[in-house]
Coordinates of all heavy atoms in Angstrom, one line a residue:
P1063 N 1.0 -1.1 0.0 CA 0.0 0.0 0.0 C 0.9 1.3 0.1 O 1.9 1.3 0.6 CB -0.8 -0.2 1.3 CG -0.2 -1.1 2.1 CD 0.7 -2.0 1.2
G1064 N 0.4 2.2 -0.8 CA 1.2 3.5 -0.8 C 2.4 3.5 -1.8 O 3.0 4.5 -2.1
V1065 N 2.8 2.3 -2.2 CA 3.9 2.2 -3.2 C 3.3 2.6 -4.6 O 2.5 2.0 -5.0 CB 4.6 0.9 -3.2 CG1 5.5 0.7 -4.2 CG2 5.3 0.5 -1.9
R1066 N 4.0 3.5 -5.2 CA 3.6 3.9 -6.5 C 4.7 3.7 -7.5 O 5.8 4.0 -7.2 CB 3.2 5.4 -6.6 CG 2.8 5.9 -7.9 CD 2.1 7.2 -7.8 NE 1.6 7.6 -9.2 CZ 2.1 8.6 -9.8 NH1 2.9 9.4 -9.4 NH2 1.7 8.8 -11.1
I1067 N 4.4 3.0 -8.6 CA 5.4 2.8 -9.6 C 5.1 3.8 -10.8 O 3.9 3.9 -11.2 CB 5.4 1.4 -10.0 CG1 4.1 0.8 -10.5 CG2 5.9 0.5 -9.0 CD1 4.1 -0.5 -11.1
D1068 N 6.1 4.3 -11.5 CA 5.9 5.2 -12.5 C 6.2 4.5 -13.9 O 5.9 4.9 -15.0 CB 6.7 6.4 -12.3 CG 6.3 7.2 -11.2 OD1 5.0 7.4 -11.0 OD2 7.1 7.8 -10.4
E1069 N 7.0 3.3 -13.7 CA 7.4 2.6 -15.0 C 7.6 1.2 -14.6 O 7.9 0.8 -13.3 CB 8.6 3.2 -15.7 CG 9.9 3.2 -14.7 CD 11.1 3.9 -15.4 OE1 11.0 5.0 -15.9 OE2 12.1 3.1 -15.5
L1070 N 7.7 0.3 -15.6 CA 7.8 -1.2 -15.2 C 9.1 -1.5 -14.6 O 9.3 -2.3 -13.7 CB 7.8 -2.0 -16.5 CG 6.4 -2.1 -17.2 CD1 6.4 -2.8 -18.5 CD2 5.5 -2.8 -16.3
N1071 N 10.2 -0.7 -14.8 CA 11.5 -1.0 -14.3 C 11.6 -0.7 -12.7 O 12.4 -1.2 -12.1 CB 12.6 -0.2 -15.0 CG 12.7 -0.6 -16.4 OD1 12.7 -1.8 -16.7 ND2 13.1 0.3 -17.4
D1072 N 10.5 0.0 -12.3 CA 10.6 0.2 -10.8 C 10.3 -1.1 -10.1 O 10.7 -1.3 -8.9 CB 9.4 1.2 -10.4 CG 9.6 2.7 -10.9 OD1 10.8 2.9 -11.2 OD2 8.7 3.3 -11.0
V1073 N 9.7 -2.1 -10.7 CA 9.4 -3.4 -10.1 C 10.6 -4.1 -9.7 O 10.6 -4.7 -8.6 CB 8.6 -4.3 -11.1 CG1 8.5 -5.7 -10.7 CG2 7.3 -3.6 -11.4
F1074 N 11.6 -4.0 -10.4 CA 12.9 -4.7 -10.1 C 13.5 -4.3 -8.7 O 14.0 -5.1 -8.0 CB 14.0 -4.6 -11.2 CG 13.5 -5.1 -12.5 CD1 13.2 -4.4 -13.5 CD2 13.2 -6.6 -12.7 CE1 12.8 -4.8 -14.8 CE2 12.8 -7.0 -13.9 CZ 12.5 -6.1 -15.0
K1075 N 13.4 -3.0 -8.5 CA 13.9 -2.5 -7.1 C 13.1 -3.1 -6.0 O 13.6 -3.4 -5.0 CB 13.8 -1.0 -7.1 CG 14.8 -0.4 -8.0 CD 14.5 1.2 -8.1 CE 15.2 1.8 -9.3 NZ 14.6 3.1 -9.5
L1076 N 11.7 -3.2 -6.3 CA 10.8 -3.7 -5.2 C 11.1 -5.2 -4.9 O 11.2 -5.7 -3.8 CB 9.4 -3.5 -5.6 CG 8.8 -2.1 -5.7 CD1 7.5 -2.0 -6.4 CD2 8.9 -1.5 -4.3
L1077 N 11.4 -5.9 -6.0 CA 11.7 -7.4 -5.8 C 13.1 -7.6 -5.2 O 13.3 -8.5 -4.4 CB 11.7 -8.1 -7.2 CG 10.4 -8.4 -7.8 CD1 10.6 -8.8 -9.3 CD2 9.7 -9.5 -7.1
L1078 N 14.1 -6.7 -5.6 CA 15.4 -6.8 -4.9 C 15.4 -6.5 -3.5 O 16.0 -7.0 -2.7 CB 16.4 -6.0 -5.7 CG 16.8 -6.5 -7.1 CD1 17.6 -5.4 -7.8 CD2 17.5 -7.7 -7.0
A1079 N 14.5 -5.7 -3.1 CA 14.3 -5.2 -1.7 C 13.9 -6.4 -0.8 O 14.2 -6.5 0.4 CB 13.4 -4.1 -1.5
G1080 N 13.1 -7.4 -1.4 CA 12.7 -8.5 -0.8 C 11.6 -8.4 0.2 O 11.1 -7.3 0.3
P1081 N 11.2 -9.5 0.7 CA 10.0 -9.5 1.7 C 10.4 -8.7 3.0 O 11.6 -8.7 3.4 CB 9.6 -10.8 1.9 CG 10.9 -11.7 1.6 CD 11.7 -10.8 0.6
T1082 N 9.4 -8.2 3.7 CA 9.7 -7.6 5.1 C 10.1 -8.8 6.0 O 9.8 -9.9 5.8 CB 8.5 -7.0 5.6 OG1 7.4 -7.8 5.7 CG2 8.0 -5.8 4.6
A1083 N 10.5 -8.4 7.1 CA 10.8 -9.5 8.2 C 9.6 -10.3 8.6 O 9.7 -11.4 8.7 CB 11.3 -8.8 9.5
E1084 N 8.4 -9.6 8.6 CA 7.2 -10.4 8.9 C 6.9 -11.3 7.7 O 6.4 -12.5 8.0 CB 6.1 -9.4 9.1 CG 4.7 -10.0 9.6 CD 3.6 -8.9 9.8 OE1 3.8 -8.1 10.6 OE2 2.7 -9.1 9.2
E1085 N 7.1 -10.9 6.6 CA 6.7 -11.7 5.4 C 7.8 -12.9 5.4 O 7.3 -14.0 5.1 CB 6.8 -10.9 4.1 CG 5.7 -10.0 4.0 CD 5.9 -8.9 2.9 OE1 7.0 -8.7 2.5 OE2 5.0 -8.2 2.7
R1086 N 9.0 -12.7 5.8 CA 10.0 -13.8 5.8 C 9.7 -14.8 6.9 O 9.7 -16.0 6.6 CB 11.4 -13.3 6.0 CG 12.1 -12.6 4.8 CD 13.5 -12.4 5.0 NE 13.9 -11.6 6.2 CZ 13.9 -10.2 6.2 NH1 13.5 -9.5 5.1 NH2 14.1 -9.5 7.3
A1087 N 9.1 -14.3 8.0 CA 8.7 -15.2 9.1 C 7.5 -16.0 8.7 O 7.3 -17.1 9.2 CB 8.4 -14.4 10.3
D1088 N 6.8 -15.5 7.7 CA 5.6 -16.2 7.1 C 6.0 -17.1 5.9 O 5.1 -17.7 5.3 CB 4.5 -15.3 6.6 CG 3.2 -15.8 6.4 OD1 2.8 -16.8 7.2 OD2 2.4 -15.2 5.7
G1089 N 7.3 -17.3 5.8 CA 7.8 -18.3 4.8 C 8.0 -17.7 3.3 O 8.2 -18.5 2.4
L1090 N 8.0 -16.3 3.2 CA 8.2 -15.8 1.9 C 9.7 -15.5 1.6 O 10.4 -15.2 2.7 CB 7.3 -14.6 1.8 CG 5.8 -14.7 1.8 CD1 5.1 -13.5 1.6 CD2 5.4 -15.8 0.8
A1091 N 10.2 -15.5 0.4 CA 11.5 -15.2 0.1 C 11.6 -14.7 -1.3 O 10.6 -14.9 -2.2 CB 12.4 -16.5 0.2
T1092 N 12.6 -14.0 -1.6 CA 12.8 -13.6 -3.0 C 13.9 -14.5 -3.7 O 14.9 -14.7 -3.0 CB 13.1 -12.1 -3.1 OG1 13.2 -11.7 -4.5 CG2 14.5 -11.8 -2.5
L1093 N 13.7 -14.9 -4.9 CA 14.7 -15.6 -5.6 C 15.3 -14.7 -6.8 O 16.0 -15.2 -7.5 CB 14.0 -16.9 -6.2 CG 13.5 -17.8 -5.1 CD1 12.8 -19.0 -5.8 CD2 14.6 -18.2 -4.1
V1094 N 14.9 -13.5 -6.7 CA 15.4 -12.5 -7.7 C 16.6 -11.9 -6.9 O 16.4 -11.3 -5.9 CB 14.3 -11.5 -8.1 CG1 14.9 -10.4 -9.0 CG2 13.2 -12.1 -8.8
H1095 N 17.8 -12.0 -7.6 CA 19.0 -11.6 -6.8 C 19.6 -10.4 -7.5 O 19.2 -9.9 -8.5 CB 20.0 -12.8 -6.9 CG 19.5 -14.0 -6.2 ND1 19.3 -14.1 -4.8 CD2 19.1 -15.2 -6.8 CE1 18.7 -15.3 -4.6 NE2 18.6 -16.0 -5.8
T1096 N 20.8 -9.9 -6.9 CA 21.3 -8.6 -7.3 C 21.8 -8.7 -8.6 O 21.9 -7.6 -9.3 CB 22.6 -8.3 -6.3 OG1 23.4 -9.5 -6.3 CG2 22.0 -8.1 -5.0
Q1097 N 22.2 -9.8 -9.3 CA 22.6 -9.8 -10.7 C 21.4 -9.3 -11.5 O 21.7 -8.8 -12.6 CB 23.2 -11.1 -11.1 CG 22.2 -12.2 -11.4 CD 22.1 -13.1 -10.0 OE1 22.5 -12.7 -8.9 NE2 21.8 -14.4 -10.3
E1098 N 20.2 -9.4 -11.1 CA 19.1 -9.0 -11.9 C 18.9 -7.4 -11.9 O 18.0 -6.8 -12.6 CB 17.8 -9.6 -11.4 CG 17.7 -11.0 -11.9 CD 18.1 -12.0 -11.0 OE1 18.2 -11.9 -9.7 OE2 18.5 -13.1 -11.4
K1099 N 19.9 -6.7 -11.3 CA 19.7 -5.2 -11.3 C 19.9 -4.6 -12.7 O 19.6 -3.6 -12.8 CB 20.7 -4.7 -10.2 CG 22.0 -4.8 -10.7 CD 23.0 -4.2 -9.5 CE 24.5 -4.5 -9.9 NZ 25.3 -4.2 -8.7
N1100 N 20.5 -5.4 -13.6 CA 20.5 -4.9 -14.9 C 19.3 -5.2 -15.9 O 19.3 -5.1 -17.0 CB 21.8 -5.4 -15.6 CG 23.1 -4.9 -14.9 OD1 23.1 -3.8 -14.5 ND2 24.0 -5.8 -14.7
F1101 N 18.4 -5.8 -15.3 CA 17.1 -6.1 -16.0 C 16.4 -4.9 -16.3 O 16.4 -3.9 -15.7 CB 16.1 -7.1 -15.1 CG 16.7 -8.5 -15.0 CD1 17.9 -9.0 -15.3 CD2 15.7 -9.4 -14.4 CE1 18.3 -10.2 -15.2 CE2 16.1 -10.7 -14.2 CZ 17.4 -11.1 -14.6
S1102 N 15.6 -5.0 -17.5 CA 14.7 -3.9 -17.8 C 13.5 -4.6 -18.5 O 13.5 -5.7 -18.9 CB 15.4 -3.0 -18.9 OG 15.7 -3.7 -20.0

């Protein structure tokens, strides 16, 4: 909530930031890694 994206490339930053501590405790993880920072 409250996150606004202005272009599709904003999504990669959100994925790289990963889940919150609460979401990790709920079993969520990101498999998108730092090498993906060059994605567009």
Side-chain angles (χ1 to χ4, degrees):
V1065 170
R1066 183 167 180 238
I1067 57 169
D1068 296 316
E1069 60 180 57
L1070 287 175
N1071 292 324
D1072 293 343
V1073 167
F1074 299 112
K1075 295 174 195 162
L1076 295 172
L1077 282 169
L1078 290 173
T1082 65
E1084 185 177 304
E1085 292 163 349
R1086 283 191 306 274
D1088 198 27
L1090 299 180
T1092 187
L1093 301 176
V1094 177
H1095 301 293
T1096 55
Q1097 70 263 25
E1098 279 96 25
K1099 66 184 175 189
N1100 295 322
F1101 284 12
S1102 63

